[in-house]
Amino acid sequence: YSSVISYLVITVMRTLGLLLGLFATVSVCTVCTTPAYNHTNCGPGTTCCKFHWAPDGYGCCPYPEATCCKNGYTCCPKNSRCVDKGKSWAVVTTCEPEGKLGDQVCKPGPPIPFSKTKPNCLVLGDSVSIGYTPHVAAALKEQGICEVQHTPWGGDGGAAETAYGVQCLDYFLSSPSGVKLRPDFILFNFGLHDGPLGNTTIPGQNGLPKDYLAGLTNITERLQKTGTKLLFALTSPVMCNKTRDNCVINLNNQARKLMKSKGIPTVNLHDAIVNKCGPVPQPACMGHKGCWCPHCPPGYKWLADSTIVPAIKKVLAGEEV
């Protein structure tokens, strides 16, 4: 009997060890008490953290057993201490004792399950893209072309700077619950948060122009590996400030050259808006002060209908943009 008891004890201990090891590698956010498509679930090697920009209140940190900073925006590696400078969305965290910058927690991907009967299209981009996406979605749905969602799911600057895109792209291409998505088409954009809005580094908000091309190249090559049809949107202008808009033009030139080398078509949001509003700088556009500096709610439908939707339709039809 003693040998049988010993065998049972060893078996139970091994089973518990396997289970504990499994649970240690997967971080399921406390909000996800029952499986749900739009509740955040972080995968192996990451940590679930409270996050103000996520609609369900949680996002994913790219470190295992990470320190989730109390500010509700950033995180640091395991056993680090968060030292914050600034407040709210502009907080910059230093992880001590390493002395490295903390990462902004990743926003989740699109919240609505993909259609099984129609093509699925994603718009991956900044806060301007958040503004025009509902109009793109309405037009393409009405025409029976595809179902459109924005990724990431959340407010603020959307996909923000390229460094944040490199860090969080896998989450942007997954459902909040962790289901890998296979869209039929992706319109993507980076640039506005890589210098034009401020020549400072705030993880998850702003990056530097010198880092733009390397980050965009990383994102582009990873998107190409998905096999989906791609269209890059050249960044919209900063109509009220010529210095900032010159930075946009510089980044657009880099992006245009990269996309040409990768065989990816582009749609020029910058020139479409400047042709409508006049040369930069302009204090007002389309009858509204500060329009396209960089946002313009009254102009989002016009941009979608006149420029973005026709380009998407051409790409989906296999035509040259």
Side-chain angles (χ1 to χ4, degrees):
Y1 288 110
S2 61
S3 61
V4 173
I5 292 174
S6 298
Y7 173 79
L8 291 173
V9 169
I10 292 171
T11 301
V12 169
M13 291 178 67
R14 285 177 175 173
T15 302
L16 286 173
L18 288 171
L19 289 172
L20 288 171
L22 174 63
F23 293 145
T25 60
V26 179
S27 176
V28 179
C29 298
T30 55
V31 70
C32 192
T33 53
T34 57
Y37 185 91
N38 59 358
H39 280 175
T40 303
N41 182 1
C42 300
T46 64
T47 303
C48 178
C49 292
K50 288 186 177 181
F51 187 39
H52 292 311
W53 292 126
D56 72 355
Y58 291 86
C60 297
C61 176
Y63 304 114
E65 301 179 65
T67 299
C68 299
C69 302
K70 293 181 179 179
N71 59 49
Y73 293 97
T74 59
C75 64
C76 288
K78 179 182 179 180
N79 297 328
S80 295
R81 179 170 54 91
C82 304
V83 179
D84 294 342
K85 181 179 180 181
K87 297 180 180 180
S88 186
W89 61 268
V91 66
V92 176
T93 299
T94 302
C95 304
E96 297 294 354
E98 300 95 325
K100 70 176 292 293
L101 282 180
D103 294 274
Q104 183 158 141
V105 176
C106 291
K107 297 166 187 164
I112 302 173
F114 272 13
S115 172
K116 296 181 180 179
T117 59
K118 296 180 180 179
N120 293 281
C121 298
L122 292 181
V123 176
L124 193 169
D126 57 27
S127 52
V128 172
S129 72
I130 293 175
Y132 61 66
T133 293
H135 304 289
V136 173
L140 292 178
K141 183 173 184 177
E142 182 180 350
Q143 297 174 44
I145 294 174
C146 69
E147 297 290 331
V148 179
Q149 295 186 70
H150 191 275
T151 189
W153 181 35
D156 187 40
E161 81 278 21
T162 50
Y164 188 63
V166 170
Q167 171 191 319
C168 301
L169 187 62
D170 290 343
Y171 295 104
F172 298 167
L173 299 179
S174 301
S175 76
S177 59
V179 177
K180 297 295 182 184
L181 301 176
R182 297 182 180 276
D184 299 283
F185 168 87
I186 299 174
L187 171 70
F188 69 113
N189 162 263
F190 288 87
L192 195 59
H193 291 260
D194 288 87
L197 296 185
N199 199 25
T200 57
T201 298
I202 303 176
Q205 293 293 332
N206 289 325
L208 300 177
K210 68 179 182 65
D211 301 322
Y212 177 69
L213 184 59
L216 185 60
T217 300
N218 178 293
I219 292 165
T220 301
E221 291 177 349
R222 288 161 66 187
L223 288 176
Q224 285 186 303
K225 290 179 181 179
T226 67
T228 190
K229 293 181 178 181
L230 300 173
L231 174 66
F232 184 80
L234 295 172
T235 299
S236 52
V238 182
M239 288 298 304
C240 62
N241 188 305
K242 188 166 181 60
T243 300
R244 291 189 174 190
D245 193 60
N246 283 341
C247 185
V248 171
I249 293 171
N250 175 40
L251 298 181
N252 278 347
N253 288 338
Q254 295 181 53
R256 184 187 290 109
K257 184 176 180 180
L258 173 65
M259 297 307 149
K260 184 177 180 180
S261 72
K262 300 294 185 182
I264 297 172
T266 60
V267 56
N268 196 331
L269 307 188
H270 183 277
D271 286 3
I273 294 168
V274 170
N275 289 340
K276 178 76 171 178
C277 301
V280 179
Q282 296 284 344
C285 177
M286 305 178 73
H288 296 273
K289 184 178 180 180
C291 193
W292 301 116
C293 190
H295 304 103
C296 185
Y300 288 146
K301 186 178 188 305
W302 163 81
L303 184 64
D305 293 343
S306 67
T307 306
I308 300 171
V309 169
I312 292 175
K313 290 170 65 176
K314 286 182 178 180
V315 172
L316 290 174
E319 301 173 1
E320 184 176 347
V321 178

